[in-house]
Amino acid sequence: MALLPAAPALAAQAQVQAPAADLAYVRLDTEKGPILLALERGRAPLTTANFLRYVESKRFDGIGFYRAMPYGEGNGLIQSGITKDARLLYPPVAHEPASKTGIKHEPGTILLANAGPGTGRSDFFITLGAIPFGDDFAPFGHVVEGMDVVKAIFASPVDPEKGVGPMKGQMLSPPVIVRTARKVDAPAR
């Protein structure tokens, strides 16, 4: 399923329904360019607070987008998080599924990755298109600017031999580094 060029921008606009006071903004400066995220403090308070804790402690500085998982034609997700030093991980956060938050799995959604409810820590996904995750992963915001960067990361080379099980062939080689992750003011509209 091919995405229309305007679909990510339209989805991001559709999801900006929370009052500005309920949104926190984070800028990821990656090797491929900036990605601006709007995080839903009001609808996904635990997941957003968890992500912001990593940002404010600068534990996301220097991490990499290390995975690009295809899902249908022209769709998929990219994954990042702390993978090299488990001492940098905070305890898992309670699961806030889409059925509880009302945040949809649309183009540009950011989700907390996990190995089951209540196990999510630092890893997160950003989707290129709508993916029917159900309540498996906790969506907590969306891309406001930088979907072109998300797509460029997704299109980065993968190593066909790296990865285990269903992740084999999805590992970026090399990973795309997140130079910094910082909380920023709301963009001017």
Side-chain angles (χ1 to χ4, degrees):
M1 171 173 82
L3 292 176
L4 298 173
L10 293 174
Q13 290 172 1
Q15 285 211 15
V16 182
Q17 296 175 5
D22 286 347
L23 296 174
Y25 293 88
V26 171
R27 179 184 168 110
L28 303 176
D29 283 312
T30 79
E31 292 177 313
K32 299 232 182 235
I35 301 169
L36 181 62
L37 304 169
L39 308 180
E40 298 266 1
R41 285 189 295 227
R43 297 198 291 172
L46 301 175
T47 310
T48 296
N50 176 68
F51 191 85
L52 291 174
R53 187 176 181 193
Y54 284 101
V55 169
E56 290 165 356
S57 65
K58 299 182 180 177
R59 292 184 183 197
F60 280 157
D61 291 5
I63 63 172
F65 278 98
Y66 61 87
R67 181 180 178 204
M69 181 193 94
Y71 184 84
E73 187 178 329
N75 195 4
L77 58 81
I78 57 175
Q79 183 173 356
S80 186
I82 296 171
T83 59
K84 293 188 179 183
D85 190 348
R87 295 173 297 177
L88 296 176
L89 295 172
Y90 291 119
V93 64
H95 189 58
E96 292 179 306
S99 63
K100 178 180 174 185
T101 64
I103 302 170
K104 296 179 180 169
H105 301 289
E106 296 178 342
T109 300
I110 181 170
L111 307 102
L112 183 65
N114 64 63
T119 63
R121 291 177 178 234
S122 76
D123 270 50
F124 60 94
F125 302 130
I126 299 176
T127 62
L128 271 72
I131 299 178
F133 284 122
D135 280 344
D136 293 341
F137 301 105
F140 63 102
H142 58 277
V143 174
V144 176
E145 298 170 4
M147 276 305 291
D148 57 331
V149 177
V150 171
K151 290 177 182 179
I153 294 170
F154 183 78
S156 296
V158 294
D159 184 326
E161 300 304 316
K162 285 189 179 175
V164 178
M167 294 183 3
K168 187 169 183 174
Q170 298 178 1
M171 300 297 118
L172 296 177
S173 183
V176 175
I177 302 301
V178 175
R179 293 179 179 127
T180 60
R182 297 289 182 273
K183 195 171 173 188
V184 296
D185 293 332
R189 294 275 176 210

